[in-house]
Amino acid sequence: PTLRQLGRIGAALGATVAELVRPQLPSAQALMVRHAFKRRSVLGKWNGVTLQHLVPTDMGQSFAALLLTIERNGKSARWFAKREIPELAIVLHGRVQFRLGSAVHDLAQGDSICYDISVPHQWINAGARRSEVVLVNNHFTPLEEWPGLLETAG
């Protein structure tokens, strides 16, 4: 079918064209990533903070899973996405301060928080050791959908 026809089919089914053409794994299969998988940096590295993919981005999955590592005294730049996407963050290790808009949230190991990535946000290590946070959302957001970092962490 043409793209226009796919659009009509999707509208009738309540689905997007992307959902119609996205490869689907049969239910008996799973995407497994070995510990040796070399993680790529996503948004770079700044002020003791790295953001890396936990799963390859070319596997057709409909979600993004990222590992945010914040060294002692590290903090991310403030960033946001161009569109509303809910995200879940789980603190694996350490203590972090999460700034979302003008709100400040103090999180410790085991805490989680849900938020919209279109709101400017920033991560700061609030502890004496390295902190790690897993970020999961239902949409892989390419770099071009991040309008850029609002400020350089410093």
Side-chain angles (χ1 to χ4, degrees):
T2 67
L3 192 55
R4 177 176 273 172
Q5 291 169 329
L6 281 174
R8 289 184 193 142
I9 292 168
L13 296 173
T16 65
V17 172
E19 290 170 328
L20 293 177
V21 299
R22 178 178 50 226
Q24 298 290 323
L25 292 174
S27 60
Q29 292 186 6
L31 170 63
M32 181 176 74
V33 180
R34 297 276 183 199
H35 180 70
F37 164 68
K38 295 200 187 306
R39 297 181 183 133
R40 289 189 303 134
S41 181
V42 176
L43 294 174
K45 183 174 184 171
W46 57 129
N47 240 11
V49 177
T50 55
L51 184 60
Q52 301 170 307
H53 286 284
L54 288 173
V55 295
T57 60
D58 58 355
M59 298 299 290
Q61 72 273 11
S62 59
F63 66 94
L66 305 162
L67 177 64
L68 180 69
T69 304
I70 313 168
E71 300 297 334
R72 183 176 178 217
N73 298 321
K75 66 179 177 177
S76 73
R78 260 183 85 174
W79 71 81
F80 63 96
K82 285 184 179 178
R83 55 185 157 148
E84 295 178 6
I85 299 171
E87 184 162 79
L88 167 67
I90 305 166
V91 180
L92 296 181
H93 302 288
R95 288 185 26 233
V96 295
Q97 186 179 81
F98 178 62
R99 295 181 181 178
L100 180 66
S102 60
V104 177
H105 305 276
D106 292 312
L107 305 169
Q109 182 173 324
D111 290 346
S112 60
I113 190 166
C114 295
Y115 57 96
D116 187 319
I117 66 173
S118 69
V119 177
H121 53 283
Q122 180 179 35
W123 293 94
I124 300 168
N125 188 334
R129 298 182 183 166
R130 171 190 291 182
S131 296
E132 290 184 329
V133 181
V134 170
L135 309 172
V136 180
N137 65 58
N138 67 350
H139 177 78
F140 172 73
T141 307
L143 287 178
E144 58 269 12
E145 290 191 29
W146 295 88
L149 303 178
L150 295 180
E151 61 186 45
T152 302

Coordinates of all heavy atoms in Angstrom, one line a residue, residues 44-115:
G44 N 26.1 12.5 24.9 CA 27.5 13.0 25.2 C 27.8 12.8 26.6 O 27.1 12.2 27.4
K45 N 28.9 13.4 27.0 CA 29.4 13.4 28.3 C 29.7 14.8 28.8 O 30.3 15.5 28.1 CB 30.6 12.5 28.3 CG 31.2 12.3 29.7 CD 32.3 11.3 29.7 CE 32.8 11.0 31.1 NZ 33.8 9.9 31.1
W46 N 29.2 15.1 29.9 CA 29.4 16.5 30.4 C 29.4 16.5 31.9 O 28.6 15.8 32.5 CB 28.5 17.5 29.8 CG 27.0 17.4 29.9 CD1 26.2 18.3 30.4 CD2 26.2 16.2 29.6 NE1 24.9 17.9 30.4 CE2 24.8 16.6 29.9 CE3 26.4 15.0 29.1 CZ2 23.8 15.8 29.7 CZ3 25.3 14.1 28.9 CH2 24.0 14.5 29.2
N47 N 30.4 17.1 32.5 CA 30.5 17.3 33.9 C 30.3 16.1 34.7 O 29.5 16.1 35.7 CB 29.5 18.4 34.4 CG 30.2 19.6 35.0 OD1 31.4 19.7 34.9 ND2 29.5 20.5 35.6
G48 N 31.0 15.0 34.3 CA 30.9 13.8 35.1 C 29.6 13.0 34.9 O 29.3 12.2 35.7
V49 N 28.9 13.2 33.8 CA 27.6 12.5 33.5 C 27.7 11.9 32.2 O 28.1 12.5 31.2 CB 26.5 13.5 33.6 CG1 25.2 12.8 33.2 CG2 26.4 14.2 35.0
T50 N 27.3 10.6 32.1 CA 27.1 10.0 30.8 C 25.7 9.4 30.7 O 25.1 9.0 31.6 CB 28.2 8.9 30.5 OG1 28.1 7.9 31.6 CG2 29.6 9.4 30.5
L51 N 25.2 9.4 29.5 CA 23.9 8.8 29.2 C 24.1 7.8 28.0 O 24.6 8.2 27.0 CB 23.0 10.0 28.7 CG 21.5 9.6 28.5 CD1 20.9 9.0 29.7 CD2 20.7 10.8 28.0
Q52 N 23.8 6.6 28.3 CA 24.1 5.5 27.3 C 22.8 4.6 27.1 O 22.1 4.4 28.0 CB 25.2 4.6 27.8 CG 26.5 5.4 28.1 CD 27.5 4.6 28.8 OE1 27.2 4.0 29.8 NE2 28.7 4.5 28.2
H53 N 22.8 4.1 25.9 CA 21.7 3.1 25.6 C 22.0 1.8 26.3 O 23.1 1.4 26.4 CB 21.7 2.8 24.1 CG 21.1 3.9 23.3 ND1 19.7 4.1 23.2 CD2 21.6 4.8 22.5 CE1 19.5 5.2 22.4 NE2 20.6 5.6 22.0
L54 N 21.0 1.2 26.8 CA 21.1 -0.2 27.4 C 20.8 -1.2 26.4 O 21.2 -2.4 26.6 CB 20.1 -0.3 28.6 CG 20.5 0.5 29.9 CD1 19.5 0.4 30.9 CD2 21.9 0.0 30.4
V55 N 20.1 -0.9 25.4 CA 19.8 -1.9 24.3 C 20.1 -1.2 23.0 O 20.0 0.1 22.8 CB 18.3 -2.3 24.3 CG1 18.0 -3.2 25.5 CG2 17.4 -1.2 24.2
P56 N 20.5 -1.9 21.9 CA 20.8 -1.3 20.6 C 19.6 -0.6 20.1 O 18.5 -1.0 20.3 CB 21.2 -2.5 19.7 CG 21.5 -3.6 20.7 CD 20.7 -3.4 21.9
T57 N 19.9 0.5 19.4 CA 18.8 1.4 18.9 C 18.2 0.9 17.6 O 17.2 1.3 17.1 CB 19.2 2.8 18.7 OG1 20.3 2.8 17.8 CG2 19.7 3.4 20.0
D58 N 18.9 -0.1 16.9 CA 18.5 -0.6 15.6 C 17.7 -1.9 15.7 O 17.7 -2.6 14.7 CB 19.7 -0.7 14.7 CG 20.8 -1.6 15.3 OD1 20.6 -2.1 16.4 OD2 21.8 -1.8 14.5
M59 N 17.2 -2.3 16.8 CA 16.6 -3.6 17.0 C 15.0 -3.5 16.8 O 14.4 -4.5 17.0 CB 16.9 -4.2 18.4 CG 18.4 -4.4 18.6 SD 19.1 -5.6 17.4 CE 18.3 -7.1 18.0
G60 N 14.5 -2.4 16.5 CA 13.1 -2.3 16.2 C 12.2 -2.2 17.4 O 11.0 -2.3 17.3
Q61 N 12.8 -2.1 18.6 CA 12.0 -2.0 19.8 C 11.2 -0.7 19.9 O 11.6 0.3 19.3 CB 12.9 -2.2 21.1 CG 13.7 -1.0 21.5 CD 15.1 -1.1 20.8 OE1 15.3 -1.8 19.9 NE2 16.0 -0.2 21.2
S62 N 10.1 -0.7 20.6 CA 9.3 0.4 20.7 C 9.5 1.2 22.0 O 8.6 1.9 22.4 CB 7.8 0.0 20.6 OG 7.5 -0.9 21.6
F63 N 10.7 1.1 22.6 CA 10.9 1.8 23.8 C 12.4 2.2 23.8 O 13.2 1.7 23.0 CB 10.6 1.0 25.0 CG 11.5 -0.2 25.1 CD1 12.6 -0.2 25.9 CD2 11.1 -1.4 24.5 CE1 13.4 -1.3 26.0 CE2 11.9 -2.5 24.6 CZ 13.1 -2.5 25.3
A64 N 12.8 3.1 24.7 CA 14.2 3.4 24.9 C 14.5 3.1 26.4 O 13.7 3.4 27.3 CB 14.4 4.9 24.7
A65 N 15.7 2.5 26.6 CA 16.2 2.2 27.9 C 17.6 2.8 28.0 O 18.4 2.4 27.2 CB 16.2 0.7 28.2
L66 N 17.8 3.6 28.9 CA 19.1 4.4 29.0 C 19.6 4.2 30.5 O 18.9 4.1 31.4 CB 18.8 5.8 28.7 CG 18.2 6.2 27.4 CD1 17.6 7.5 27.4 CD2 19.2 6.0 26.3
L67 N 20.9 4.3 30.5 CA 21.6 4.3 31.8 C 22.3 5.7 32.0 O 23.1 6.1 31.2 CB 22.7 3.2 31.9 CG 23.5 3.2 33.2 CD1 22.6 2.9 34.4 CD2 24.6 2.2 33.1
L68 N 21.9 6.4 33.0 CA 22.5 7.7 33.3 C 23.4 7.5 34.5 O 23.0 7.0 35.6 CB 21.4 8.7 33.8 CG 21.8 10.1 34.2 CD1 22.2 10.9 32.9 CD2 20.6 10.8 34.8
T69 N 24.7 7.7 34.3 CA 25.7 7.6 35.3 C 26.2 9.0 35.7 O 26.6 9.8 34.8 CB 26.9 6.8 34.8 OG1 26.4 5.5 34.3 CG2 28.0 6.5 35.8
I70 N 26.2 9.3 37.0 CA 26.6 10.6 37.5 C 27.7 10.4 38.5 O 27.5 9.9 39.6 CB 25.4 11.3 38.1 CG1 24.1 11.3 37.3 CG2 25.7 12.8 38.4 CD1 22.9 11.7 38.0
E71 N 28.9 10.9 38.2 CA 30.0 10.8 39.1 C 29.8 11.7 40.3 O 28.9 12.6 40.2 CB 31.3 11.1 38.3 CG 31.6 10.2 37.2 CD 31.8 8.7 37.6 OE1 32.2 8.5 38.7 OE2 31.6 7.9 36.7
R72 N 30.6 11.5 41.3 CA 30.5 12.4 42.5 C 30.7 13.8 42.0 O 31.6 14.1 41.2 CB 31.6 12.0 43.4 CG 31.6 12.8 44.7 CD 32.7 12.3 45.6 NE 32.7 13.1 46.8 CZ 33.8 13.5 47.5 NH1 35.0 13.0 47.1 NH2 33.7 14.2 48.5
N73 N 29.9 14.7 42.5 CA 29.9 16.2 42.1 C 29.4 16.4 40.7 O 29.6 17.5 40.2 CB 31.2 16.8 42.4 CG 31.6 16.8 43.9 OD1 30.7 17.0 44.7 ND2 32.8 16.5 44.1
G74 N 28.9 15.4 40.0 CA 28.5 15.6 38.6 C 27.1 16.1 38.5 O 26.3 15.9 39.4
K75 N 26.8 16.7 37.4 CA 25.5 17.1 37.1 C 25.3 17.2 35.5 O 26.2 17.6 34.8 CB 25.1 18.4 37.7 CG 25.8 19.7 37.3 CD 25.3 20.9 38.1 CE 26.1 22.1 37.7 NZ 25.5 23.3 38.4
S76 N 24.1 16.9 35.1 CA 23.8 17.0 33.7 C 23.5 18.4 33.3 O 23.3 19.3 34.1 CB 22.6 16.1 33.3 OG 21.4 16.7 33.8
A77 N 23.5 18.6 32.0 CA 23.0 19.9 31.5 C 21.5 19.8 31.6 O 20.9 18.8 31.9 CB 23.4 20.1 30.0
R78 N 20.8 21.0 31.5 CA 19.4 20.9 31.5 C 18.9 20.7 30.0 O 19.4 21.3 29.1 CB 18.8 22.3 31.9 CG 18.4 22.4 33.3 CD 17.8 23.7 33.6 NE 16.4 23.7 33.2 CZ 15.6 24.7 33.4 NH1 16.0 25.8 34.0 NH2 14.3 24.6 33.0
W79 N 18.0 19.7 29.8 CA 17.6 19.4 28.5 C 16.1 19.1 28.5 O 15.5 18.9 29.5 CB 18.4 18.3 27.9 CG 18.2 16.9 28.4 CD1 17.2 16.1 28.1 CD2 19.0 16.2 29.3 NE1 17.4 14.9 28.7 CE2 18.5 14.9 29.5 CE3 20.2 16.5 30.0 CZ2 19.0 14.0 30.4 CZ3 20.7 15.5 30.8 CH2 20.2 14.3 31.0
F80 N 15.6 19.0 27.3 CA 14.2 18.6 27.1 C 13.9 18.2 25.7 O 14.7 18.5 24.8 CB 13.2 19.8 27.4 CG 13.4 21.0 26.5 CD1 12.6 21.2 25.4 CD2 14.4 21.9 26.7 CE1 12.8 22.2 24.5 CE2 14.6 23.0 25.9 CZ 13.8 23.2 24.8
A81 N 12.9 17.4 25.5 CA 12.5 16.9 24.1 C 11.5 17.8 23.5 O 10.8 18.6 24.2 CB 12.0 15.5 24.2
K82 N 11.3 17.8 22.2 CA 10.4 18.6 21.5 C 8.9 18.2 21.7 O 8.0 19.0 21.5 CB 10.6 18.6 20.0 CG 11.8 19.4 19.6 CD 12.0 19.4 18.1 CE 13.1 20.2 17.6 NZ 13.3 20.2 16.2
R83 N 8.7 17.0 22.1 CA 7.3 16.5 22.3 C 7.1 15.8 23.6 O 8.1 15.4 24.3 CB 6.8 15.7 21.2 CG 7.7 14.5 20.9 CD 7.1 13.8 19.7 NE 8.2 13.0 19.1 CZ 8.0 11.9 18.4 NH1 6.7 11.5 18.3 NH2 8.9 11.2 17.9
E84 N 5.9 15.7 24.0 CA 5.5 15.1 25.3 C 5.7 13.6 25.3 O 5.1 12.9 24.4 CB 4.1 15.4 25.7 CG 3.8 16.9 26.0 CD 2.4 17.2 26.3 OE1 1.6 16.2 26.4 OE2 2.1 18.4 26.4
I85 N 6.6 13.1 26.1 CA 6.8 11.7 26.2 C 7.0 11.3 27.7 O 7.9 11.9 28.4 CB 8.1 11.2 25.4 CG1 7.9 11.5 24.0 CG2 8.4 9.7 25.7 CD1 9.2 11.4 23.1
P86 N 6.2 10.5 28.3 CA 6.4 10.1 29.7 C 7.6 9.2 29.8 O 7.9 8.4 29.0 CB 5.1 9.3 30.0 CG 4.5 8.8 28.7 CD 5.0 9.8 27.7
E87 N 8.3 9.4 30.9 CA 9.5 8.6 31.2 C 9.5 8.2 32.7 O 9.0 8.9 33.5 CB 10.7 9.5 30.9 CG 12.0 8.7 31.1 CD 13.2 9.4 30.4 OE1 13.7 10.4 30.9 OE2 13.6 9.0 29.3
L88 N 10.0 7.0 32.9 CA 10.2 6.5 34.2 C 11.7 6.4 34.5 O 12.5 6.0 33.7 CB 9.6 5.0 34.3 CG 10.0 4.2 35.5 CD1 9.3 4.8 36.8 CD2 9.6 2.8 35.4
A89 N 12.0 6.9 35.7 CA 13.4 6.9 36.2 C 13.5 6.1 37.5 O 12.7 6.3 38.4 CB 14.0 8.3 36.4
I90 N 14.5 5.2 37.6 CA 14.7 4.4 38.8 C 16.1 4.6 39.2 O 17.0 4.3 38.4 CB 14.4 2.9 38.5 CG1 13.0 2.8 37.9 CG2 14.6 2.1 39.8 CD1 12.7 1.4 37.3
V91 N 16.3 5.0 40.4 CA 17.7 5.2 41.0 C 18.2 3.8 41.4 O 17.7 3.2 42.3 CB 17.7 6.2 42.2 CG1 19.1 6.3 42.7 CG2 17.1 7.5 41.8
L92 N 19.2 3.4 40.7 CA 19.9 2.1 41.0 C 20.8 2.2 42.2 O 20.9 1.3 43.1 CB 20.6 1.5 39.8 CG 19.8 1.1 38.6 CD1 20.7 0.6 37.5 CD2 18.7 0.2 39.0
H93 N 21.7 3.2 42.2 CA 22.7 3.4 43.2 C 22.8 4.9 43.5 O 22.7 5.8 42.6 CB 24.1 3.0 42.7 CG 24.1 1.5 42.3 ND1 24.1 0.5 43.2 CD2 24.2 1.0 41.1 CE1 24.1 -0.6 42.5 NE2 24.2 -0.4 41.2
G94 N 23.1 5.2 44.7 CA 23.4 6.6 45.1 C 22.2 7.5 45.5 O 21.1 7.0 45.6
R95 N 22.4 8.8 45.5 CA 21.4 9.8 45.8 C 21.5 10.8 44.7 O 22.6 11.3 44.4 CB 21.7 10.4 47.2 CG 21.4 9.5 48.4 CD 21.5 10.2 49.7 NE 21.3 11.6 49.6 CZ 22.2 12.5 50.1 NH1 23.3 12.2 50.7 NH2 22.0 13.8 50.0
V96 N 20.4 11.2 44.2 CA 20.4 12.3 43.2 C 19.3 13.3 43.5 O 18.4 13.1 44.2 CB 20.1 11.7 41.8 CG1 21.2 10.7 41.3 CG2 18.7 10.9 41.7
Q97 N 19.6 14.5 43.0 CA 18.6 15.6 43.0 C 18.1 15.7 41.5 O 18.9 15.8 40.6 CB 19.3 16.8 43.5 CG 18.3 18.0 43.6 CD 18.9 19.2 44.1 OE1 19.5 20.0 43.3 NE2 18.9 19.5 45.4
F98 N 16.8 15.7 41.4 CA 16.2 15.8 40.0 C 15.4 17.1 40.0 O 14.5 17.3 40.8 CB 15.3 14.6 39.8 CG 14.6 14.6 38.5 CD1 15.3 14.6 37.3 CD2 13.2 14.7 38.4 CE1 14.6 14.6 36.1 CE2 12.5 14.7 37.2 CZ 13.2 14.7 36.0
R99 N 15.8 17.9 39.1 CA 15.1 19.2 38.9 C 14.2 19.1 37.6 O 14.7 18.8 36.5 CB 16.1 20.3 38.7 CG 16.9 20.5 40.0 CD 17.9 21.7 39.8 NE 18.7 21.8 41.1 CZ 19.6 22.7 41.3 NH1 20.0 23.5 40.3 NH2 20.3 22.7 42.4
L100 N 13.0 19.3 37.8 CA 12.0 19.2 36.8 C 11.2 20.6 36.7 O 10.5 20.9 37.7 CB 11.0 18.1 37.0 CG 9.9 17.9 36.0 CD1 10.5 17.5 34.6 CD2 8.9 16.8 36.4
G101 N 11.5 21.4 35.7 CA 11.0 22.7 35.7 C 11.5 23.4 36.9 O 12.7 23.5 37.1
S102 N 10.7 24.0 37.8 CA 11.1 24.7 39.0 C 11.1 23.8 40.2 O 11.5 24.2 41.3 CB 10.3 26.0 39.2 OG 8.9 25.6 39.4
A103 N 10.6 22.6 40.1 CA 10.5 21.7 41.2 C 11.8 20.9 41.4 O 12.5 20.6 40.5 CB 9.4 20.7 41.0
V104 N 12.1 20.6 42.7 CA 13.3 19.8 43.0 C 12.9 18.6 43.8 O 12.1 18.7 44.7 CB 14.3 20.7 43.9 CG1 15.5 19.9 44.3 CG2 14.7 21.9 43.1
H105 N 13.4 17.4 43.3 CA 13.1 16.1 44.0 C 14.3 15.5 44.4 O 15.3 15.3 43.6 CB 12.3 15.2 43.0 CG 11.1 15.8 42.4 ND1 9.9 15.8 43.0 CD2 10.9 16.5 41.2 CE1 9.0 16.5 42.3 NE2 9.6 16.9 41.2
D106 N 14.4 15.1 45.7 CA 15.6 14.3 46.2 C 15.2 12.8 46.2 O 14.2 12.4 46.7 CB 15.9 14.8 47.6 CG 16.4 16.2 47.7 OD1 17.3 16.5 46.9 OD2 15.9 17.0 48.5
L107 N 16.1 12.1 45.5 CA 15.8 10.6 45.3 C 17.0 9.8 45.8 O 18.1 10.2 45.6 CB 15.6 10.3 43.8 CG 14.5 11.1 43.1 CD1 14.5 10.9 41.6 CD2 13.1 10.7 43.6
A108 N 16.7 8.7 46.4 CA 17.7 7.8 46.9 C 17.6 6.4 46.2 O 16.6 6.2 45.4 CB 17.6 7.6 48.4
Q109 N 18.5 5.6 46.4 CA 18.5 4.2 45.8 C 17.2 3.6 46.0 O 16.6 3.5 47.1 CB 19.6 3.4 46.5 CG 19.8 2.0 45.9 CD 21.0 1.3 46.5 OE1 22.0 1.9 46.7 NE2 20.8 0.0 46.6
G110 N 16.6 3.0 44.9 CA 15.3 2.4 45.0 C 14.2 3.3 44.7 O 13.1 2.8 44.4
D111 N 14.3 4.6 44.7 CA 13.2 5.5 44.4 C 13.0 5.6 42.9 O 13.9 5.4 42.1 CB 13.6 6.9 45.0 CG 13.6 7.0 46.5 OD1 13.0 6.1 47.1 OD2 14.1 8.1 47.0
S112 N 11.8 5.9 42.6 CA 11.5 6.1 41.1 C 10.7 7.4 41.0 O 10.0 7.8 41.9 CB 10.8 4.9 40.6 OG 9.6 4.7 41.2
I113 N 10.6 7.9 39.8 CA 9.8 9.1 39.5 C 9.4 9.0 38.0 O 10.1 8.5 37.2 CB 10.7 10.4 39.8 CG1 9.7 11.6 39.7 CG2 11.9 10.5 38.9 CD1 10.4 12.9 40.3
C114 N 8.2 9.4 37.7 CA 7.7 9.5 36.4 C 7.5 11.0 36.0 O 7.0 11.8 36.9 CB 6.3 8.8 36.3 SG 6.4 7.0 36.5
Y115 N 7.8 11.4 34.8 CA 7.8 12.8 34.4 C 7.7 12.8 32.9 O 7.8 11.8 32.2 CB 9.0 13.5 34.9 CG 10.3 12.9 34.5 CD1 10.9 13.4 33.3 CD2 10.9 11.9 35.1 CE1 12.1 12.9 32.9 CE2 12.1 11.3 34.7 CZ 12.7 11.8 33.6 OH 13.9 11.3 33.2

